[in-house]
Amino acid sequence: MKSIQKPIVSFLSQPLEKKAKTFSKDHSLSFLSPREVRKFHKDKLIIWLHSDGIFLQDLSLKNSKPFSLDFQAQKKENMSKNLLQRCFSKFDTDYPVYDLTAGFCLDAFLITRLGFEVNAFEKESWLFEFTKEKLLKNKIEKVKLYKKNSLEILSGIDSKSIIYLDPMFGIENKSFAKKEMHFLRKSLFDRSHELIESSLKSKAELIVIKRHKIKKKKISKSPSFELVGKVVTFQIFDRRKG
Ligand SMILES: C[S@@+](CC[C@H](N)C(=O)[O-])C[C@H]1O[C@@H](n2cnc3c(N)ncnc32)[C@H](O)[C@@H]1O
């Protein structure tokens, strides 16, 4: 089983000390002063509270800097070549999308840009708060983000729906990961197999699973088709009739 490193909460400007303490309490994370971080925890995952919002940093990475989320960079990605676009262009935009592994909502954001309504669910409370702040700041209203374990909402999903899953995979291979995903992989435990299998038992006619080439744990059913990219593959389970 992979070992998880819980992020530590600290602050980047003195007036935010109290806010950082409250944040750490609310999410059951440890709080340290910036001095303690610098002196004793030079290799840890840090959640910084700053006057501009919440920032993340993995101090174990050389030359790392606190980072936020860049939805604009996502937008600039060449959508015509994008595998996600190729995948969702096969579906009717009237089908609501349930992103059951919301994370930073970077994929959810791109899916809304393709014309879909996205309900996204994230179980990790600090991450929910971080992503919610970024969605608000960037005025991204089309992604509806909820703090919830997705396993609890599966039974309420209608047949004319799309379930989207981007489960976490191992942390062994650093080279693939962008800093954002790297932070998540190091800090979160993910029972993705259960979520995948439960999603396959739901009523949703369409299920899309983003899978990484380095980790493909066997799924009980075979997908209807796959879209294969350099690093990721989308497995599509199409249960629409006719
Ligand atoms: C690889 S990340 C997804 C990244 C996301 N696609 C993005 O674009 O930012 C997987 C996320 O799924 C969340 N997750 C895993 N199982 C979940 C569950 N049962 N309910 C809600 N969230 C879950 C994890 O906490 C993690 O944040």
Side-chain angles (χ1 to χ4, degrees), residues 71 130-141:
F71 289 100
F130 173 80
T131 304
K132 187 94 195 158
E133 182 195 275
K134 305 307 163 203
L135 291 173
L136 269 172
K137 210 170 185 141
N138 286 277
K139 300 189 174 61
I140 299 168
E141 286 155 9

Side-chain angles (χ1 to χ4, degrees), residues 100-107 121-124 127 148-151 164 166-168 181 184 188 190 195:
L100 303 189
T101 52
F104 293 131
C105 285
L106 295 169
D107 289 340
F121 300 85
E122 175 52 54
K123 64 174 168 46
E124 197 68 24
L127 180 56
K148 198 111 196 130
N149 187 327
S150 301
L151 289 169
Y164 178 73
D166 173 16
M168 210 88 77
M181 289 308 147
L184 291 192
L188 299 178
D190 197 341
L195 187 57

Side-chain angles (χ1 to χ4, degrees), residues 84 107 164-167 208-212 232-235:
L84 198 68
D107 289 340
Y164 178 73
L165 298 168
D166 173 16
V208 177
I209 309 179
K210 184 177 178 178
R211 310 222 84 194
H212 209 281
V232 295
T233 293
F234 284 99
Q235 296 185 319

